[in-house]
Amino acid sequence: MTGDCLLRPDPDTSLAPTAWQQFAESVAHEKSLTPFPAAVLYRRWQQGLAAVAVHQGCIIGHISCMPIFHQTTRSQVERALRADQPHGASVWPAIEMFELLTGWTHPDWRRRKLSLHLRQHLLAQFRSEFLPRQRFFVSVTVGRGGSPVLARLGWHTLAWDAIPYVSSMIGANDDGRPRPGWHVTNHAPYNGSDIAPLVDTARSWDHHCFLWVSHAALAQQLNDQLQAAVGHDLDRWRRAWRDAALPTLLQAGYLPVLFG
């Protein structure tokens, strides 16, 4: 139980339903992670959107991803905006955004680079299969969370309000209206400078929710393209995303972050 984990790929791994249920219960007890039902977590695994580490029939490590801005949601929000303003922009960005979700390691296996290795395997799979496409990944950490792992992957933080068209797809302020989402209380969106160079130094992590990106320039490019496509109308973009595209993600088991 010391030293780095050595992972051996096993394409024939099968897990009993109880393993997924136990895993979902463990995630639900982690205050910094979005709770998802076992069925949602298992479905991501079936769809090839997750990497798991298994020991003696139990899940000891997990990371998954989900397409957020991709062909389906892009088409839905584009149609909604065109209906609202038929003579709007004709060119829409082809950049795709995925979010890393549910990065969890069993307490007995932490500090052995298990989470880092799983992320590397999952990201490598998507990058190798879709090289012609422009694609980047985002991840939200509450407090310190998985920030050290993301920093080691070469990711950086961006202020939520620096890329509002992008960040509003995964997080929003809680306006008191009943709607699905993961309510993050006592953690404000972090709008400061990049913390990646400082991630291993002593600092207060307790009161912020951080937005990590795998490719800062591509995230900024998507934000600028969306801004131009909707005529610099952020409220209009948010309404269209919430009404036209978000229901598809919710149906797939996704939960956006709701601050406050």
Side-chain angles (χ1 to χ4, degrees):
M1 300 297 291
T2 60
D4 292 355
C5 287
L6 298 177
L7 301 182
R8 182 185 64 195
D10 185 1
D12 299 321
T13 296
S14 61
L15 290 165
T18 54
W20 289 100
Q21 188 59 47
Q22 291 170 357
F23 168 52
E25 292 173 0
S26 297
V27 170
H29 284 95
E30 299 273 355
K31 294 182 179 180
S32 62
L33 295 180
T34 312
F36 291 104
V40 171
L41 298 169
Y42 176 60
R43 186 164 63 244
R44 288 188 207 153
W45 166 254
Q46 286 183 307
Q47 294 170 338
L49 297 174
V52 300
V54 179
H55 180 66
Q56 297 180 349
C58 296
I59 297 174
I60 62 168
H62 176 278
I63 185 65
S64 65
C65 67
M66 188 164 185
I68 304 299
F69 187 75
H70 60 119
Q71 181 177 355
T72 300
T73 55
R74 178 173 56 238
S75 298
Q76 289 168 333
V77 74
E78 181 182 359
R79 284 196 299 269
L81 288 165
R82 288 190 189 282
D84 176 51
Q85 190 174 352
H87 302 292
S90 58
V91 179
W92 274 79
I95 300 171
E96 294 185 340
M97 181 177 76
F98 277 57
E99 183 176 354
L100 284 187
L101 298 164
T102 323
W104 177 85
T105 304
H106 189 284
D108 291 344
W109 291 82
R110 292 176 183 176
R111 301 186 182 279
R112 299 185 62 193
K113 296 186 179 179
L114 182 60
S115 181
L116 176 65
H117 294 330
L118 287 178
R119 281 173 166 83
Q120 288 172 329
H121 282 291
L122 186 63
L123 292 171
Q125 173 180 317
F126 277 82
R127 286 169 177 157
S128 63
E129 290 182 357
F130 300 95
L131 285 176
R133 299 184 181 180
Q134 287 185 299
R135 170 175 291 168
F136 71 97
F137 293 79
V138 300
S139 187
V140 176
T141 60
V142 177
R144 186 175 177 86
S147 294
V149 178
L150 296 171
R152 292 187 184 97
L153 287 172
W155 291 30
H156 295 273
T157 60
L158 286 177
W160 288 80
D161 61 4
I163 50 171
Y165 291 84
V166 167
S167 63
S168 61
M169 288 189 275
I170 57 177
N173 290 323
D174 183 7
D175 54 12
R177 294 181 298 176
R179 52 176 168 160
W182 177 41
H183 292 260
V184 177
T185 58
N186 302 321
H187 288 81
Y190 179 75
N191 287 313
S193 57
D194 181 20
I195 66 165
L198 309 173
V199 77
D200 288 321
T201 62
R203 57 164 293 138
S204 173
W205 297 87
D206 295 338
H207 304 297
H208 288 103
C209 193
F210 299 92
L211 176 59
W212 288 85
V213 297
S214 64
H215 196 307
L218 205 55
Q220 187 66 61
Q221 183 180 340
L222 175 59
N223 188 82
D224 294 345
Q225 290 176 351
L226 291 173
Q227 179 177 260
V230 299
H232 293 242
D233 191 336
L234 181 58
D235 288 337
R236 180 169 167 251
W237 161 255
R238 286 174 171 168
R239 287 194 303 271
W241 177 263
R242 183 184 66 241
D243 297 339
L246 185 56
T248 296
L249 298 178
L250 294 175
Q251 187 176 11
Y254 178 74
L255 291 175
V257 176
L258 297 179
F259 298 108

